[in-house]
Amino acid sequence: MDTSFSAEDLAFRDEVRAFFTEAYDDELQARLSDKATFREAVIDWQRRLYEKGWIAPNWPKGHGGAEWTPTQNFIYETERAASGVRDVVPFGLKMVGPVIYTFGNDEQKERFLPRILRSEDWWCQGYSEPGAGSDLASLKTRAERDGDDYVVNGAKIWTTYAQYADWIFCLVRTSSEGKKQNGISFLLIDMHSPGIKVNPIVSIDNHHSLNEVEFNNVRVPVSNLIGEEDKGWTYAKALLAHERTSIAGVADSKRALAEVRDFAAREENGGRFLIDDPLFQQRLSDIEIELMALEYTELRVLASVAAGGAPGAESSLLKIKGTEIQQAIQELRMELAGYYQGVLPTELSPEVLGHSFGSDARQAFMYGRAATIYGGSNEVQKNIIAKAVLGL
Ligand SMILES: Cc1cc2nc3c(=O)[nH]c(=O)nc-3n(C[C@H](O)[C@H](O)[C@H](O)COP(=O)(O)OP(=O)(O)OC[C@H]3O[C@@H](n4cnc5c(N)ncnc54)[C@H](O)[C@@H]3O)c2cc1C
């Protein structure tokens, strides 16, 4: 792709900046950081994006998307991260939405897609199970046909934001015959159905975003099956490739790294700046170089997707590198917090580190351990590259 910006691109960049300044206001940000108002604030933010026409940049126009060019995507993401604006919740807009418009029937498209675009339904992802993570095809949650319904029994785990969700897209076993990948179906399940129980899981950062979801004789209309019965593995894989591509988080890493560089050069400890430590400087530069290389790889993948391709094994590469870089930056932030640990809060510049930097850095570091696990662990991504790219 051409990475030089045209006058049109620059005008788009200005429009994005102006929109964030106006629409992502302080009041909204306060509600987003409060547990009690988080869900409604996310919906509120996503509706503002919807009204602007920017809620689904990569969906086809025919389904209500914006069909941005890779350059527009790049500009938007860079500005979003630079302004500290949160990304949309991916489960509806980036995961099940594309599955529905690609593999769903007309009735499903009409029923679900407009509600996803308007954030009227909050979705979550029911893939993993207690005994099926990396080896996802071993999943055991069963859906048995009974008249016009499936009856679902089993449990999903690590289900992010299930506590807020109206719908869950699930992989369920509809057959035990033949290869285990063949008997899996892709089912949309109303979270308000009788027989569903959500059990919270508090993660190492002391926050609650994860859950276990139990299904006890949950009746799901057969009309909620996507595509063909027993063929869900194909749809699930298409979704995972997109999921991995967006996990790379390049724009957010760029912002986080720039912030580390800035803080290390502006905050003093006993007359010294951390940036003057040659070892710290070298680590910072190494990560910057890796990130720049990743950014160009991501742009190449986005350009080929925009030209009609689907992300393949490249998405595994983006996921591995992107999450390793995120964790390296989180470690640097912890080091930064540690370096200034002994400085009295009154001596810290409020506009640089302030008093919550240490706890924010710790929380991001703790939760960040998960990045090399979710979306398919990095070890498993290496296996995919070994097989699909290196032919081993
Ligand atoms: C924060 C977080 C959020 C999540 N959100 C969701 C969600 O919303 N919905 C959802 O469905 N799932 C979600 N997951 C689950 C996630 O997809 C799984 O954790 C992941 O696929 C790994 O599965 P597992 O936890 O069962 O680990 P396991 O598969 O048991 O793996 C354990 C270890 O063994 C390694 N390993 C396993 N197999 C191989 C192999 N063949 N070769 C080499 N090494 C291997 C793994 O890399 C890992 O280090 C989330 C997970 C986390 C941590």
Side-chain angles (χ1 to χ4, degrees):
M1 74 180 270
D2 181 3
T3 52
S4 58
F5 292 153
S6 65
E8 242 178 14
D9 294 332
L10 292 174
F12 176 68
R13 187 188 64 187
D14 292 344
E15 190 184 352
V16 172
R17 281 186 188 164
F19 176 70
F20 286 153
T21 308
E22 190 203 317
Y24 204 75
D25 53 51
D26 291 348
E27 187 267 342
L28 176 75
Q29 289 182 49
R31 285 194 290 131
L32 283 168
S33 39
D34 182 344
K35 250 192 332 207
T37 48
F38 174 75
R39 184 184 192 274
E40 293 319 309
V42 167
I43 293 172
D44 199 357
W45 168 235
Q46 295 192 172
R47 294 233 169 106
R48 291 179 198 188
L49 282 169
Y50 170 74
E51 276 151 27
K52 182 77 182 155
W54 290 354
I55 191 67
N58 298 311
W59 286 29
K61 283 195 173 136
H63 295 306
E67 275 186 39
W68 279 350
T69 62
T71 311
Q72 282 176 306
N73 268 304
F74 174 77
I75 291 173
Y76 180 86
E77 268 306 291
T78 305
E79 295 302 322
R80 183 192 62 70
S83 312
V85 169
R86 61 169 294 122
D87 200 358
V88 297
V89 175
F91 306 109
L93 288 155
K94 297 189 178 178
M95 297 187 188
V96 78
V99 168
I100 293 174
Y101 67 64
T102 311
F103 304 107
N105 59 35
D106 287 345
E107 197 194 314
Q108 290 165 339
K109 289 178 200 168
E110 275 164 37
R111 179 174 174 201
F112 292 108
L113 297 180
R115 295 184 63 83
I116 292 175
L117 290 170
R118 293 195 295 262
S119 299
E120 283 168 356
D121 293 327
W122 186 303
W123 284 83
C124 63
Q125 177 186 28
Y127 274 24
S128 308
E129 295 185 7
S134 304
D135 184 13
L136 188 57
S138 295
L139 60 92
K140 290 195 168 59
T141 295
R142 286 200 66 82
E144 280 159 338
R145 190 73 187 258
D146 181 25
D148 288 340
D149 291 339
Y150 287 107
V151 179
V152 178
N153 280 289
K156 295 291 173 180
I157 199 163
W158 314 123
T159 321
T160 303
Y161 293 153
Q163 75 267 37
Y164 301 134
D166 302 301
W167 285 85
I168 181 167
F169 56 92
C170 269
L171 293 181
V172 291
R173 181 152 300 286
T174 34
S175 164
S176 304
E177 305 289 310
K179 251 177 82 181
K180 57 189 178 181
Q181 283 83 355
N182 291 346
I184 291 173
S185 297
F186 196 107
L187 208 52
L188 312 180
I189 305 180
D190 184 341
M191 284 292 280
H192 309 292
S193 313
I196 293 188
K197 187 162 174 266
V198 177
N199 304 313
I201 301 171
V202 175
S203 41
I204 192 174
D205 59 346
N206 210 21
H207 280 240
H208 168 211
S209 58
L210 302 171
N211 301 275
E212 180 196 34
V213 183
E214 290 176 40
F215 300 85
N216 292 304
N217 291 319
V218 177
R219 297 195 80 85
V220 182
V222 172
S223 57
N224 288 8
L225 174 77
I226 293 288
E228 283 179 62
E229 191 176 273
D230 296 341
K231 296 276 171 10
W233 190 248
T234 312
Y235 322 136
K237 277 197 307 191
L239 182 151
L240 280 173
H242 284 282
E243 179 183 357
R244 282 171 198 145
T245 309
S246 45
I247 286 176
V250 172
D252 289 300
S253 286
K254 270 171 81 178
R255 175 184 194 242
L257 201 53
E259 194 181 73
V260 168
R261 176 177 279 286
D262 177 49
F263 287 178
R266 283 208 290 147
E267 193 71 83
E268 279 184 84
N269 181 0
R272 291 199 57 207
F273 296 95
L274 184 54
I275 199 78
D276 295 327
D277 176 340
L279 285 178
F280 184 82
Q281 176 63 256
Q282 181 173 350
R283 283 177 58 202
L284 190 62
S285 303
D286 284 348
I287 301 173
E288 279 169 347
I289 292 165
E290 296 253 322
L291 186 55
M292 201 184 290
L294 180 69
E295 182 172 21
Y296 276 87
T297 308
E298 186 184 54
L299 288 173
R300 280 204 311 270
V301 174
L302 291 177
S304 86
V305 170
E314 306 92 327
S315 64
S316 299
L317 188 152
L318 291 177
K319 202 259 159 174
I320 296 171
K321 258 345 250 189
T323 52
E324 282 177 357
I325 290 173
Q326 285 161 27
Q327 292 184 342
I329 298 171
Q330 283 150 3
E331 280 166 32
L332 272 191
R333 287 184 81 206
M334 288 287 276
E335 206 164 296
L336 188 72
Y339 184 77
Y340 296 107
Q341 181 80 27
V343 182
L344 289 173
T346 47
E347 291 169 4
L348 288 171
S349 336
E351 77 280 11
V352 183
L353 285 193
H355 60 272
S356 70
F357 184 85
S359 60
D360 292 348
R362 187 186 52 83
Q363 202 246 318
F365 176 84
M366 291 293 193
Y367 185 77
R369 303 303 89 196
T372 43
I373 302 171
Y374 57 58
S377 78
N378 283 20
E379 290 76 16
V380 169
Q381 302 315 307
K382 286 179 187 166
N383 288 347
I384 293 174
I385 292 173
K387 217 168 133 186
V389 181
L390 306 176
L392 298 173

